[in-house]
């Protein structure tokens, strides 16, 4: 039996996070493995992994479409996948993770010779300026004077420097953490650890080392006596532009949802009621449109840059995003600003080398100033006007679509929503529609939500009218799929698609394409970015409400009809062969 720890996370944090967690838990248990799954969603962290659980794990599985901090898994083999694969190919993903764990080599830590200690240390202060490095130097001098071996990692505002290697940690007899900020100690499981303030190390490093020997406590299980040494560290987390974009989208979505619903609520009093100053409608519009929506693009850009460059990317990203708003470049400009700021900040962070005495200026002065200056000038003089022109042209095109073009766009967006049911293609269509809300273009949002609702609804209806084509457990799941569909959670179709992809996926793609096309051609517009059927109860939140409901119904019926045609009746729980 292997011990597995896992983390699941997706940008919206609605269904994929939990469905992936349940799939991994159930499949691992069936295979006889012990597993613990942490869920990271827009509601925070649920079932957080404990250091002792991580220390005891044979392998870590990260099923995420966004950036997940892997610092606590430094000494473990990490298998990375997506929530969609964790849901649809669960057994294969677990087998691949365990195979990865089997490839890792390990060695027992060599005990220190009498009178000699091997020490590893971490120093960190809130600003990452002088005390971090002063404490590191003091500990090195004190340890060297005793004939001890020491390696010190400094954690400042520009990130970690002289990062401790797996071999250093595995061979250490003593760990000293001198920090005034939170330091993840998960990698030191089974080691004798002593924690103190960074100031104490600066003023009395020798006393700190004495106290560490006398008062240090073993963290978690004493793995050195029971298992092989810590396993070699895998390659750094694999990231790419798509993952950076989804990280930005995940931070942006709560603003979009809150702002959009508040704008929709302002329409309860009349579509133009917010124009009258001092009214509740005006206040709601000011909160939703005047505040939340104005922050949307800066947050998107800021956290794209943060995903690329960590903290140094946040300042130029936020400012670049605000410039995109001021230059009328919209969400397209925000995306450009985020990537520009992130890569500029990361290059400056790695390229600028300063003497130790001046290193403290880097995170608080040099990096913010130079990265913001470069990003800002490029946005103002190079990127802003062309992107604004592209956005204006696209907005004009979308708002003036003829019947044929509207049908084509609706078919494409609708089909994309059903292809992978919450995966990358689905999120690309949703992000496109959400971004257009800032340009007062609401028709694509309506098409996307209609198309996202129909897959679970069509399947739910099929389990009722064609019971002989579904297994008992699928019929039971039909009710839950209906609720998910009404809530605009496309992932409700995944269990059905995973079991019979060749018949289910074409059916839901066609149904969603029909729903999206009808919504576009009938001129439906949706002011809110989420909420499913529940947001339709808000007056004026959707235009042409009857036509919109008909679009959703038509897509549902098409999906159901295709499922009846394509799926064969079951005989004793097995599909009959034609």
């Amino acid at each position: 039996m292997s011990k597995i720890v896992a983390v699941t996370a997706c940008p919206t944090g609605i269904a994929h996070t939990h469905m992936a967690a349940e799939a991994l838990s159930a499949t691992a248990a069936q295979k006889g493995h012990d597993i613990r799954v942490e869920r990271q969603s827009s509601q925070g962290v649920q079932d957080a992994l404990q250091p002792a659980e991580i220390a005891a794990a044979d392998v870590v599985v990260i099923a995420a479409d966004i950036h997940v901090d892997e610092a606590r898994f430094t000494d473990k083999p990490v298998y990375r996948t997506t929530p969609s694969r964790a849901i649809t190919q669960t057994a294969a993903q677990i087998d691949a993770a365990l195979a990865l764990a089997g490839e890792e080599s390990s060695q027992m830590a060599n005990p220190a010779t009498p009178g000699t200690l091997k020490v590893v240390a971490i120093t960190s202060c809130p600003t990452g300026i002088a005390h971090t490095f002063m404490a590191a130097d003091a500990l090195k001098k004190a340890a060297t004077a005793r004939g001890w071996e020491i390696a010190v990692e400094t954690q400042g505002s520009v990130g970690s420097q002289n990062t401790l290697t797996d071999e250093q940690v595995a061979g250490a007899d003593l760990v000293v953490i001198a920090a005034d900020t939170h330091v993840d100690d998960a990698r030191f499981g089974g080691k004798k650890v002593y924690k103190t303030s960074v100031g104490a190390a600066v003023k009395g490093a020798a006393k700190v080392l004495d106290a560490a020997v006398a008062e240090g406590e073993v963290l978690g299980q004493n793995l050195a006596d029971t298992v092989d040494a810590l396993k070699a560290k895998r390659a750094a987390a694999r990231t790419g532009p798509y993952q950076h974009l989804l990280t930005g989208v995940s931070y942006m979505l709560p603003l979009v949802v809150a702002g959009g619903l508040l704008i929709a609520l302002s329409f309860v009093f009349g579509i133009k009621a917010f124009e009258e100053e001092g009214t509740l409608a005006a206040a709601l519009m000011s909160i939703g449109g005047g505040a939340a929506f104005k922050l949307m693009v800066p947050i998107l850009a800021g956290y794209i840059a943060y995903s690329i460059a960590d903290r140094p990317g946040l300042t130029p990203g936020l400012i670049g995003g605000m410039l995109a708003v001021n230059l009328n470049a919209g969400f397209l400009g925000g995306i450009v600003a985020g990537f520009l700021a992130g890569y500029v900040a990361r290059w400056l962070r790695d390229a600028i080398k300063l003497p130790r005495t001046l290193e403290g200026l880097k995170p608080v002065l040099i990096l913010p100033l130079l990265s913001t200056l470069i990003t800002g000038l490029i946005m103002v003089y190079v990127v802003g006007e062309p992107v604004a022109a592209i956005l204006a042209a696209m907005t004009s095109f979308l708002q003036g679509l003829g019947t044929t073009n509207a049908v084509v766009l609706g078919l494409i967006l609708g089909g994309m929503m059903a292809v992978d049911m919450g995966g990358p293609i689905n999120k690309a269509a949703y992000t496109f529609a959400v971004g257009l809300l800032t340009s007062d273009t609401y028709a694509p949002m309506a098409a996307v939500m209609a198309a996202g609702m129909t897959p679970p609804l069509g399947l739910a209806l099929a389990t009722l009218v064609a019971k002989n084509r579904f297994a008992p457990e699928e019929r039971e799941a039909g009710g839950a799929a209906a609720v998910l569909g009404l809530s605009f959670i496309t992932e409700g179709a995944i269990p059905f698609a995973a079991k019979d992809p060749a018949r289910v996926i074409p059916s839901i793609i066609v149904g969603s394409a029909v729903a999206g096309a009808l919504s576009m051609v009938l001129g439906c517009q949706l002011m809110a970015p989420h909420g499913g059927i529940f947001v339709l109860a808000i007056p004026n939140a959707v235009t042409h409400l009857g036509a919109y409901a008909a679009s959703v119904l038509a897509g549902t019926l098409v999906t159901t009809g295709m499922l009846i045609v394509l799926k064969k009746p079951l005989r004793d729980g097995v599909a009959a062969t034609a």
Side-chain angles (χ1 to χ4, degrees):
M1 181 182 72
S2 298
K3 292 186 177 181
I4 306 170
V5 294
V7 178
T8 60
C10 73
T12 57
I14 298 176
H16 258 59
T17 297
H18 303 293
M19 294 174 71
E22 293 297 331
L24 289 170
S25 298
T27 304
Q30 289 175 0
K31 289 176 170 286
H33 302 305
D34 184 12
I35 188 170
R36 272 275 288 114
V37 185
E38 174 180 300
R39 310 176 190 211
Q40 296 184 8
S41 70
S42 55
Q43 298 176 338
V45 177
Q46 295 178 301
D47 303 323
L49 297 173
Q50 301 303 312
E53 293 172 327
I54 298 172
D58 299 305
V59 67
V60 179
V61 177
I62 296 181
D65 287 327
I66 60 174
H67 173 71
V68 172
D69 185 3
E70 298 182 17
R72 54 185 165 157
F73 307 128
T74 300
D75 305 307
K76 296 293 178 181
V78 178
Y79 179 77
R80 301 171 186 85
T81 185
T82 64
S84 296
R85 289 174 183 160
I87 295 168
T88 59
Q89 305 169 21
T90 317
Q93 298 303 304
I94 290 177
D95 290 342
L98 294 174
L100 171 65
E103 294 172 2
E104 296 293 328
S105 61
S106 60
Q107 58 181 12
M108 294 300 292
N110 295 321
T113 58
T116 301
L117 288 179
K118 293 182 179 180
V119 182
V120 293
I122 294 177
T123 62
S124 178
C125 72
T127 57
I129 302 178
H131 273 59
T132 299
F133 303 105
M134 292 170 64
D137 288 339
L139 288 170
K140 287 178 182 177
K141 291 178 181 178
T144 302
R146 300 174 181 217
W148 296 356
E149 295 181 25
I150 186 169
V152 185
E153 174 183 315
T154 56
Q155 296 186 3
S157 296
V158 294
S160 298
Q161 295 179 327
N162 302 317
T163 304
L164 298 173
T165 66
D166 295 321
E167 291 76 15
Q168 289 171 329
V169 175
D173 303 295
L174 184 64
V175 179
V176 177
I177 298 177
D180 293 328
T181 60
H182 172 71
V183 171
D184 188 355
D185 58 10
R187 54 179 154 163
F188 304 124
K191 296 294 179 182
K192 189 174 185 180
V193 178
Y194 178 74
K195 298 181 180 181
T196 186
S197 68
V198 69
V202 172
K203 297 174 183 177
K207 293 181 180 179
V208 167
L209 293 178
D210 290 337
V213 173
E215 302 173 16
E217 297 181 355
V218 175
L219 183 66
Q221 297 181 3
N222 189 355
L223 299 180
D225 294 335
T226 58
V227 297
D228 290 336
L230 298 173
K231 299 173 182 178
K233 185 178 179 181
R234 296 296 292 180
R238 293 185 291 257
T239 60
Y242 179 73
Q243 191 167 24
H244 299 319
L245 175 62
L246 285 189
T247 298
V249 170
S250 70
Y251 282 96
M252 176 192 72
L253 275 180
L255 288 170
V256 178
V257 174
L261 291 176
L262 286 169
I263 291 172
L265 285 173
S266 74
F267 296 149
V268 170
F269 305 96
I271 201 70
K272 297 290 185 180
F274 67 89
E275 295 178 356
E276 186 176 345
E277 294 292 333
T279 62
L280 179 58
L284 291 171
M285 179 60 73
S286 176
I287 297 169
F293 265 37
K294 283 187 177 179
L295 285 172
M296 187 180 93
V297 173
I299 292 297
L300 171 66
Y303 281 95
I304 289 175
Y306 174 80
S307 177
I308 296 169
D310 211 339
R311 283 188 289 178
L314 195 55
T315 297
L318 290 169
I319 294 173
M322 184 56 71
L323 285 171
V325 173
N326 294 341
L327 294 168
N328 296 317
F331 81 101
L332 291 179
I335 293 173
V336 174
F339 282 103
L340 174 63
Y343 288 116
V344 166
R346 190 169 75 178
W347 177 76
L348 289 172
R349 181 194 65 191
D350 297 339
I352 296 176
K353 305 297 182 183
L354 296 175
R356 178 64 58 82
T357 54
L358 297 178
E359 189 71 23
L361 294 176
K362 193 172 174 180
V364 296
L365 174 61
I366 297 174
L367 288 181
L369 174 62
L370 293 181
S371 60
T372 299
L373 178 64
I374 294 171
T375 301
L377 290 176
I378 293 176
M379 287 296 298
V380 171
Y381 290 110
V382 180
V383 174
E385 289 188 11
V387 174
I390 293 171
L391 182 66
M394 184 173 65
T395 301
S396 177
F397 169 75
L398 291 172
Q399 291 179 341
L401 281 177
T403 301
T404 302
N405 289 334
V407 169
V408 172
L409 181 61
L411 286 171
I412 293 172
L413 290 176
M416 289 175 68
M417 290 298 293
V419 166
D420 54 1
M421 299 155 282
I425 298 175
N426 170 287
K427 288 182 174 65
Y430 181 71
T431 301
F432 172 76
V434 166
L436 290 173
L437 293 178
T438 61
S439 304
D440 298 329
T441 304
Y442 302 108
M445 189 71 253
V448 161
M449 191 164 88
M453 294 170 65
T454 56
L457 290 175
L459 282 158
L461 181 59
T463 61
L464 290 176
V465 300
K467 295 181 179 181
N468 63 337
R469 287 165 168 79
F470 295 90
E473 62 271 16
E474 290 179 306
R475 295 197 295 271
E476 291 178 7
V483 174
L484 292 173
L486 292 173
S487 304
F488 181 37
I489 300 176
T490 317
E491 291 90 334
I494 289 177
F496 299 89
K499 189 170 184 178
D500 189 8
R503 296 177 178 85
V504 171
I505 293 178
S507 301
I508 62 177
I509 289 176
V510 173
S512 291
V514 168
L518 282 176
S519 175
M520 289 292 295
V521 78
L522 294 174
C524 302
Q525 297 185 347
L526 181 65
M527 314 301 173
H530 216 291
I533 194 173
F534 306 104
V535 79
L536 305 184
I538 301 175
N540 300 314
V542 60
T543 61
H544 308 303
L545 179 58
Y548 191 64
S551 301
V552 176
L553 178 60
T556 300
L557 293 175
V558 168
T559 297
T560 300
M562 287 195 63
L563 287 167
I564 293 174
V565 171
L566 294 178
K567 288 179 74 67
K568 303 300 181 183
L570 301 182
R571 294 176 181 172
D572 297 326
V574 179
T577 55

